[in-house]
Every structure is written in C-alpha cells, then in structure tokens.
Amino acid sequence: MKIFIDTANLDEIKEIASWGILDGVTTNPTLLSREVERTGKKPEAILKKICSMVEGPVTAEVTSKEAKGIVSEGKKLKRIADNICIKVPMCKEGLIAIRELRNEDIMTNTTLVFSANQALLVAKAGTNFVSPFIGRMDDVGNEGMGIVDQIVTIFDNYCIETEVVVASVRHPMHIVEAALIGADVCTVPYNVILKMLNHPLTDVGIERFLKDWSKIK
Ligand code: G3P
C-alpha cells in the first residue's frame, strides 16, 4: 500500500520524505490555506515546492463548481509541475471535468466520496484516484471503512484501474484496516504517521539492549 501524507506543511513533508517512505502528498483548500498563513508564501509557490520534494503525485484541489471552471483551473494547476494531480470534488460537474481532464492526460483524484456508487461513477468517468473520507463518516456514526471495503471489492470485480485512496484518516488502526482490505493508498496526517513509528515495547527493548551492552564496555 502506498503512503501519502495529508498536509501542505513544508516542514512536515520534508521530514517524512527524508525517511524514504513517502509515495505522494494530498492537499486541500483547508490544508493549503493553513500553510499560506503559516509561511506567508503564495499557494502556487507552496505547491511547486512540495512537487520538488516528492516524486509521486501531489494533489491540488480546484475550487470551481462548474465543469468548465474545474477544467481550466486544473490545466492551470497542472502547469506548476508534472506530478500535480488535480483534486476534483464529487459532483455532476466534477464527472464531466474528470473526463475532459483525462482526455488531456491530466491526473485527477476525486475527493469527498462517501459511497460506493459515487466511487463507481467517478471511476467510469476516468479518475485516477478516488478518495473515500473515512474519519468524517465515522464522525456521523457510519462505519467509514465499510465503504472502502465495498469500493475495493467492486473495483477488483471489474478490474477497474482507479486507485482507492483512504482519506480523512484519524488514527493508526485506520491504516492497518485499509491495508488489510487492500486499498491502494492511505493518505495520512503527519501526527498519525509519527504514531505508526512508535511502540512502547520497542523503546523498552532498545533501552534494555543498550544497558546490557554498557555492562561489558
Ligand atoms: O484527505 C482528506 C482530508 O484532508 C480530510 O481530513 O480530517 O479534515 O476529515 P479531515
């Protein structure tokens, strides 16, 4: 399973990229505006910098609601770097835009997906990635991971090439569950990536080995 980081924070991306485990980055208007406020840099400059830090896809989200606007915004964003992937919201106009962007060989990631039917529609429109929002479904009392399971099964049944990106991840168990289901990608916030790294028994084990070793030094 590929691991993307779900942030626009340049320091966080730099640190996780240095571990050699990062396959891509997802941003959205909330995350990008946070980084604009933090750094004073322009959104395009932040995206360009992110694209230079990772080889994999970097998603940049459009804000237009009409297909025409989504396509022209997508084309403009694509000029930032080759690895830009256009994040398009799930909606009728989004479907039309996804097909047009596909025809122009521009990668898309469809966001704000909350059902298997929505995922099937955008896959048929030709999106490269589909992003079900797990945490937000859990928040309203639905089992988010159940939708991921359905989407992965449906895509397997029909050899659909669209990759399933588990998004709105809140804790490390979401990542394990996504991998067990066979999702292609999990996009994970920085603080949750840090939690993947640690285990109390690892810390205790290292300390004990070093203590025993120091006895013969
Ligand atoms: O990738 C989607 C993500 O940015 C949304 O996460 O935590 O705002 O539901 P969250």
Side-chain angles (χ1 to χ4, degrees), residues 5-7 26-31 34 59 61 87 109 111-112 114 131-137 139 165-170 187-189:
I5 188 168
D6 193 30
T7 185
T26 52
T27 74
N28 61 36
T30 305
L31 297 171
R34 220 177 268 161
T59 59
E61 189 160 340
K87 223 180 196 189
N109 177 343
T111 188
L112 292 164
F114 293 94
S131 295
F133 272 34
I134 303 315
R136 291 194 194 183
M137 275 191 273
D139 288 346
V165 182
V166 175
S168 185
V169 163
R170 301 280 162 76
T187 186
V188 189

Side-chain angles (χ1 to χ4, degrees), residues 132-135 137-138 142-149:
F133 272 34
I134 303 315
M137 275 191 273
D138 291 350
N142 293 332
E143 205 221 326
M145 209 52 80
I147 303 295
V148 175
D149 202 3

Side-chain angles (χ1 to χ4, degrees), residues 7-8 28-40 46:
T7 185
N28 61 36
T30 305
L31 297 171
L32 201 50
S33 62
R34 220 177 268 161
E35 188 61 358
V36 168
E37 280 171 10
R38 191 182 79 90
T39 62
I46 295 167

Side-chain angles (χ1 to χ4, degrees), residues 140-155:
V140 295
N142 293 332
E143 205 221 326
M145 209 52 80
I147 303 295
V148 175
D149 202 3
Q150 289 179 355
I151 298 171
V152 169
T153 303
I154 291 167
F155 285 10

